[in-house]
Every structure is written in structure tokens, then in C-alpha cells.
Amino acid sequence: MCFQSTIPAATLRVFLPQWQPLVYRDERSDPKRYRDACCIPKGPGAWTVEWMGPDDPENPYNWSTTTKIKTSAFVVIHTVISYTASSAFASGLQGQGSVTADLGVSNTVALLGLSLFVLGYGMGPMVLHPLSDVPSIGRLPVYLVSQILATIFSVPCAIAPNIGTLLVSRYLQGLFSSPPLATGGATLGDMWTPGPLAYALACWGFGAVVGPAIGPILGGYIYSAGGWRWIMWALLFLNGLLLLWMVFMMPETSGAAILYRRACRLEKRFPGHVFTTAAMIEMRREGIQAILVEALWRPFELIPEPTLLVYNVYLVLVYGMFYLFFEAFPVVFGEIRGFSPGQSGLAFLGVAVMATLMLLCYCVWLYRVMNPVIESNAGINPLPELRLALTPYAAAAISVALFGFGWTGQSASIHWIAPVIFSGLFACGGIASFQTIFAYLGDVYFKEIGFVLTLNDLFRGSYAAGFPLFAHALYTNLGVGPACSLLGAISVLFIPVPIICIKW
């Protein structure tokens, strides 16, 4: 039996129009014809629900391009807002009206508000992504419930009377802002075929770099105008807008969930008959509890995989160094050059602009290099290592950017545009590294890409959460130039790794 909603249909039609199935004329006027078109008889009164052929309009792969683009835009914007919410907080840590002044804590304790948010969105996909694969749940309820909770926990972040309330609320806000980080890729894969999917995933990965760059730009001027609490109110406003978009415009994309709901509708129209789907049969055979346990445990089983481990460690390093910029920019542009918080935030425009240019270049590379190879092999990439062709250059760009940013940033006599350019070069290297490595892992671990992305989120969130805590001491004790040189030297060690993978 299917789970039946207790919410009146009229209420759903008014408030949740995107939850309504695409009802064909035959489903109401001729239910038997509709049943025969989408079901396979398995015995007296027993049916297996499937798609009505390759052109079934309810299948997300057959949606219009406009619908796919709107849904993909939601995933990308959700990703950007999640990352923006993490980094915007860093703009209100020090100075008059800051977290440290208002709540009477040290800078390191205040930074926990950033670190715990990052930790939360690293841990969230471990639980939320497996739930989205359950046919009776699907993607949309996970997005919707999580976003409601993320919006709710934005309120105590803004009105927190003490540091304890703020830190707990920030962690929970990050936890429930995490669905697009792993489920976003699965959502795009629900709709797009392999060719256009590469471009959709590129835009989705772009949000992981440009989102943290937008945060300081937004937070810097809001903090200057009204203090750190207004940054939290602004994030509440963004989360609220995202929730409204989700409620009124976001469709369910999971094919298994769509077929499950079709089976539920047919059971209501044909009492006494049993309708099921292939995914429901599999879940009954394995047991939902066993499937969820496997989904939670499988990412940890992948940790010892040598290739996966090396690239996860490197992406953790790149992502952690990116979050170190949130402490480096106030030192380089605020303390050394005397910029206001808003002006220091604007320095992140170099990251956003260069990341956008790199995304366009990467899409051109996909079109000119990768697409002909894949199309000539029946839609399959015969050599996954070809995805890594740009990775050594990206790793080199990151190393050069770190050395350049450190030594141009530590001297006030050098024009401010120089460290901005090098921070943009870092963004280029970061975008290229994330895109090429994720694409490579998608080819190698195609059947387990959801687990791979979940594990990567856990790695990045867990380790990147600790980087900001020692950032200020790193830059003040060593100096900007030596500190960035240390990070650059570490990043140099990775440059040969993709070359080794390509050759051997």
C-alpha cells in the first residue's frame, strides 16, 4: 500500500501546485486506458507502474528545456545562498557592533560561528541525501523541510542573546542548508542526459566557489550599515525568498518518487488492486532500514580508496585555503591598506569575476574537447583520465596565486589590485580543480557518485571548519607573505598527482 497524504487535495492545489502530478486527460476520463499504458500486469489485481514509453511527459528527462533550466537555476541559486550564508558571517566578527564586541567573546570563539556552519553543511548530506533516494520521500520534501528549518534557525542567529545560542543556531542553520551540496548533483542528474549534464554540473560546482565570495561582499556593507545582526536578518530574508520559490515553483525530480506517486493515485482509482514500482519492490526486498544503514555506511567504506582519498585530501586543502581568505582579506585590505569592511568585501569581486570567466572557459573546453570524444563513443567517456587534463595547470595556478597573493598583499606600497588579481587566479585554479576532479570521479565511480559526493562534503566540511580557527594567528604570527608561502609550498606537492593518474 502507498502512503496517502492527509492534506486535502484542494489545499495542496492552492499552496503546493508543484506537488500536483501532471494529470493526463486519460487518467480522469479513461483510468483503465491510463493504467494499461503505464503498468505491467503481474497477476490478478497486481500491477507494476512504469513510464508510458520513452516519451512519457512526466519523466523528468522529457521535460521542456525551460522547465529543466528553471529547476537547475534553483539548485545553483540554492547552492550559492548556502555558501553565502557561511561566509557572510565572517564580515561581522571584529569592530564596533561586531560579534566580539556585542557578545563579549574573543575573535577565535566568534569564528566558531563560521566553522560550525561549515561543519553542519558537511555533515548534513550524510543523512539528508539518503532520504531523498527513498521513493516515498523524494527530493522535494527533503529540500522543503530542510529549507523551512534553515529559515527558522536564521531567527535565533539574528536575536541570539549569548554566544552559546548563536553557535548552536549557526550549526543547525548550516546542517539544514546542506541539501544542495550533495542532492543538488542528483537533482540535475534526474533531468539531464550525460551531454548537457556536464554543463549543468559545471554551473552547480561554480556555486561552491562564487557563493563564499559573495558572502563578504554582501556582509561587508550590511555590517557597516547596521552591525552583525543585520547580516543574519539579510540571510533570513534570502532563505525566506528561497523557501517561497521552492514551495511554488520547484517540482519533484526523482523518477522513483514520481512513479511512486503515480502508483498511489492508481490505487485510489482502483480499490482492491495493488500497484507498485521497481524501486518499491527493491526496497521491500532489502528493507528500508537496511538500505538507509547501507547509505550511511557506504561513504565511510570508500575512504580507503587510494584515488578517492588523494583527491578528497587535495580538495579539502584547496577548500580550506579558500576559507583562509576570509581572515587574510581583512588583514591585507583592512589592517595593511586601511579599507573599510565594505571595501574589503568588494575585494572578493576579483574571485567572483575570475571564477565566472573560468566557468565559461571550462564550458568551452567541454564543448571542444570532451564532447567530441564522448559522442564518438556512444555517450561514454572511454578514458576518464582525460578529464584531468586541466588539473595540473589548475594546481599550478593555485600555487602561484598563493605565493603572489602573500607577497603582494603584505606590503601597502604595492597597489591593491595585485592581491585581488592573485586571489582571482586562485579562484580560477579552484574552479578548474573542482570541475575536473568531480567529473573524473563521476566517470570512475558512476554508480556510486552520490556516495562519493557525500563523502567529499563530509571531508570538506569537517576539515575546512577548522581552517578559519587558526587563520588569524597564522597571518599575524608569520606574516601574510610567509603564511601564504607555506600554503603555496604544500599545494605544490599535489601538482604531480594528476599527471601520475593520467600516465599510470
Side-chain angles (χ1 to χ4, degrees), residues 52-208:
M52 292 190 294
D55 298 325
D56 190 330
E58 218 172 338
N59 188 335
Y61 286 111
N62 297 324
W63 289 352
S64 67
T65 302
T66 301
T67 300
K68 291 181 181 180
I69 290 175
K70 287 193 298 185
T71 307
S72 300
F74 164 80
V75 173
V76 173
I77 292 174
H78 193 179
T79 303
V80 169
I81 290 177
S82 296
Y83 283 107
T84 298
S86 70
S87 60
F89 177 81
S91 300
L93 294 181
Q94 294 182 331
Q96 186 176 1
S98 66
V99 176
T100 54
D102 189 15
L103 300 182
V105 295
S106 66
N107 183 67
T108 302
V109 173
L111 271 170
L112 285 171
L114 170 60
S115 294
L116 288 175
F117 187 100
V118 175
L119 180 64
Y121 73 51
M123 298 178 66
M126 294 294 296
V127 177
L128 299 177
H129 178 67
L131 289 176
S132 73
D133 288 330
V134 177
S136 57
I137 298 176
R139 315 274 188 228
L140 183 58
V142 172
Y143 279 123
L144 186 61
V145 174
S146 297
Q147 187 59 32
I148 290 172
L149 292 173
T151 305
I152 289 173
F153 284 110
S154 297
V155 176
C157 287
I159 64 175
N162 54 62
I163 190 64
T165 302
L166 176 62
L167 296 184
V168 171
S169 301
R170 282 287 290 175
Y171 172 77
L172 293 173
Q173 187 184 37
L175 185 75
F176 294 115
S177 296
S178 66
L181 276 64
T183 307
T187 301
L188 298 176
D190 290 337
M191 302 179 294
W192 297 103
T193 54
L197 177 61
Y199 300 97
L201 290 175
C203 294
W204 173 60
F206 166 75

Side-chain angles (χ1 to χ4, degrees), residues 27-376:
E27 185 175 357
R28 290 180 175 174
S29 62
D30 194 348
K32 289 185 178 180
R33 180 182 173 188
Y34 178 82
R35 179 196 63 189
D36 294 340
C38 67
C39 298
I40 299 175
K42 294 296 182 181
W47 305 80
T48 298
V49 180
E50 295 188 356
W51 299 119
M52 292 190 294
D55 298 325
D56 190 330
E58 218 172 338
N59 188 335
Y61 286 111
N62 297 324
W63 289 352
S64 67
T65 302
T66 301
T67 300
K68 291 181 181 180
I69 290 175
K70 287 193 298 185
T71 307
S72 300
F74 164 80
V75 173
V76 173
I77 292 174
H78 193 179
T79 303
V80 169
I81 290 177
S82 296
Y83 283 107
T84 298
S86 70
S87 60
F89 177 81
S91 300
L93 294 181
Q94 294 182 331
Q96 186 176 1
S98 66
V99 176
T100 54
D102 189 15
L103 300 182
V105 295
S106 66
N107 183 67
T108 302
V109 173
L111 271 170
L112 285 171
L114 170 60
S115 294
L116 288 175
F117 187 100
V118 175
L119 180 64
Y121 73 51
M123 298 178 66
M126 294 294 296
V127 177
L128 299 177
H129 178 67
L131 289 176
S132 73
D133 288 330
V134 177
S136 57
I137 298 176
R139 315 274 188 228
L140 183 58
V142 172
Y143 279 123
L144 186 61
V145 174
S146 297
Q147 187 59 32
I148 290 172
L149 292 173
T151 305
I152 289 173
F153 284 110
S154 297
V155 176
C157 287
I159 64 175
N162 54 62
I163 190 64
T165 302
L166 176 62
L167 296 184
V168 171
S169 301
R170 282 287 290 175
Y171 172 77
L172 293 173
Q173 187 184 37
L175 185 75
F176 294 115
S177 296
S178 66
L181 276 64
T183 307
T187 301
L188 298 176
D190 290 337
M191 302 179 294
W192 297 103
T193 54
L197 177 61
Y199 300 97
L201 290 175
C203 294
W204 173 60
F206 166 75
V209 175
V210 77
I214 292 175
I217 299 172
L218 177 71
Y221 278 102
I222 294 177
Y223 167 70
S224 298
W228 72 273
R229 293 186 186 274
W230 278 102
I231 298 177
M232 299 295 100
W233 289 119
L235 296 179
L236 172 64
F237 176 74
L238 289 177
N239 277 314
L241 288 180
L242 190 65
L243 179 60
L244 290 176
W245 184 358
M246 195 180 302
V247 168
F248 292 104
M249 297 181 64
M250 180 67 180
E252 176 59 66
T253 63
S254 170
I258 292 171
L259 290 177
Y260 171 84
R261 293 173 189 176
R262 177 181 285 182
C264 290
R265 299 198 307 271
L266 287 168
E267 281 198 351
K268 292 177 68 175
R269 292 186 181 277
F270 295 92
H273 290 237
V274 177
F275 293 86
T276 187
T277 68
M280 293 163 64
I281 294 172
E282 175 70 18
M283 185 157 290
R284 289 195 189 103
R285 183 169 63 247
E286 299 291 335
I288 186 170
Q289 183 177 1
I291 291 175
L292 289 177
V293 169
E294 170 67 15
L296 292 171
W297 181 246
R298 181 56 183 158
F300 294 102
E301 292 181 331
L302 292 172
I303 290 177
E305 291 278 341
T307 301
L308 196 56
L309 181 61
V310 168
Y311 284 116
N312 273 333
V313 169
Y314 178 67
L315 291 179
V316 164
L317 177 66
V318 173
Y319 204 67
M321 288 189 292
F322 188 41
Y323 270 83
L324 288 178
F325 274 135
F326 301 133
E327 277 296 301
F329 271 54
V331 174
V332 170
F333 297 103
E335 297 178 12
I336 296 177
R337 288 172 171 79
F339 283 19
S340 68
Q343 292 170 330
S344 295
L346 280 178
F348 275 92
L349 278 175
V351 173
V353 171
M354 294 298 286
T356 304
L357 293 176
M358 187 64 223
L359 174 67
L360 296 176
C361 293
Y362 177 72
C363 289
V364 171
W365 181 79
L366 283 176
Y367 180 77
R368 291 181 175 270
V369 178
M370 290 303 306
N371 281 11
V373 174
I374 295 174
E375 290 173 2
S376 63

